[in-house]
Amino acid sequence: MIKRLRFATYNLLDLSLAPESAQEGERQRQVIQTIRAIKPDVIAVQELKCPPGRAGRLVAEVGERTGLTATVQESAGRAVHAVAVGDHTLHVALLWRPGLTPLPETFRTYSPAVHHHGGWRGVGYGSLVRLGFAVAGRAMTFASYHAPAFGRHRRLDQAETTLAAVTASAGPVLVGSDFNAVGAARVNGDFYDPDPYTGHLWWPDLVHQCHEPTHPGTNHRADRRPAAVWEAGGLY
């Protein structure tokens, strides 16, 4: 019986496994070594970079190099990869150690570029892959999510959509993500994650990250509303 399960999340920063330089090749080698050193039972990754049609092949190659797998055998006998295609050739995926039992009927992807088992469309939207596993006699759901980098209101709306997608199944849920937002959890009344923008000079890129963007020189604060949706929906 499994007494402890290690779940990790890792933004791979445009990992392509097709290095264009010696420096990039070294970074990719270190990424693979890091995953192997973590020894995850399940890992959620973001920013696999390749054309959409090669996303499955890329996550399979990451699995081969790390000793993990991303293959789901669906009920019809078809093998698919646990990867969701994203915008700008960046994709999210789940990988796991051989021996864990995925539940094919729980497999869902939600992508802006394609519809696979349902999904959404829209420029700038993120992507999500969800899969359940049989762990210690019960189902546990894991997901990898990448929130939109631009569009504060789009990020907020999609927080509701992803919340519904990951909590649709019964049992515990663990989500690994690049939220592109600051957390809303509180400890003793204060935010666990400090505001990285308040007290600093305004610069134009903050329009993507701050609640109610204001003119330069006035007070501005991180937009925590997407994270607050997840908190209010029962995820922590």
Side-chain angles (χ1 to χ4, degrees):
M1 178 180 294
I2 296 176
K3 294 183 178 180
R4 179 176 296 176
L5 187 145
R6 178 170 292 178
F7 177 54
T9 183
Y10 195 177
N11 185 314
L12 305 178
L13 189 60
D14 297 355
L15 186 74
S16 67
L17 295 183
E20 298 178 358
S21 66
Q23 181 179 6
E24 179 63 12
E26 174 60 19
R27 186 187 76 85
Q28 293 173 3
R29 185 186 66 82
Q30 291 180 4
V31 167
I32 296 300
Q33 284 189 338
T34 298
I35 295 175
R36 294 183 69 92
I38 292 171
K39 297 180 179 178
D41 293 293
V42 182
I43 184 169
V45 296
Q46 304 85 39
E47 293 201 21
L48 289 163
K49 185 175 183 179
C50 65
R54 293 174 51 195
R57 177 62 252 171
L58 178 54
V59 70
E61 185 175 354
V62 172
E64 291 168 5
R65 296 194 186 188
T66 57
L68 303 173
T69 183
T71 303
V72 183
Q73 297 290 340
E74 293 192 310
S75 57
R78 184 171 64 109
V80 296
H81 296 103
V83 58
V85 175
D87 275 349
H88 307 299
T89 70
L90 296 178
H91 321 299
V92 302
L94 289 168
L95 298 102
W96 56 93
R97 64 169 175 79
L100 282 184
T101 305
L103 304 173
E105 67 276 11
T106 67
F107 177 55
R108 297 288 187 277
T109 65
Y110 303 82
S111 299
V114 296
H115 285 275
H116 183 101
H117 295 307
W120 52 64
R121 285 188 181 273
V123 176
Y125 270 58
S127 48
L128 169 81
V129 57
R130 186 197 85 194
L131 180 63
F133 292 85
V135 178
R138 65 172 177 170
M140 292 185 66
T141 299
F142 296 84
S144 181
Y145 172 57
H146 198 165
F150 306 108
R152 293 176 302 108
H153 301 296
R154 183 179 297 122
R155 195 180 301 129
L156 175 62
D157 288 342
Q158 193 165 319
E160 296 182 21
T161 307
T162 54
L163 176 69
V166 299
T167 58
S169 301
V173 176
L174 295 101
V175 183
S177 175
D178 178 349
F179 291 104
N180 274 312
V182 180
R186 291 181 180 271
V187 177
N188 297 325
D190 296 325
F191 284 115
Y192 178 83
D193 294 302
D195 192 315
Y197 310 121
T198 297
H200 295 274
L201 293 177
W202 177 268
W203 70 94
D205 282 353
L206 289 187
V207 298
H208 309 301
Q209 294 293 333
C210 287
H211 186 52
E212 298 176 358
T214 52
H215 294 289
T218 60
N219 292 331
H220 46 272
R221 56 193 172 91
D223 186 358
R224 301 179 188 263
R225 294 176 302 164
V229 167
W230 289 65
E231 291 267 333
L235 299 181
Y236 302 92

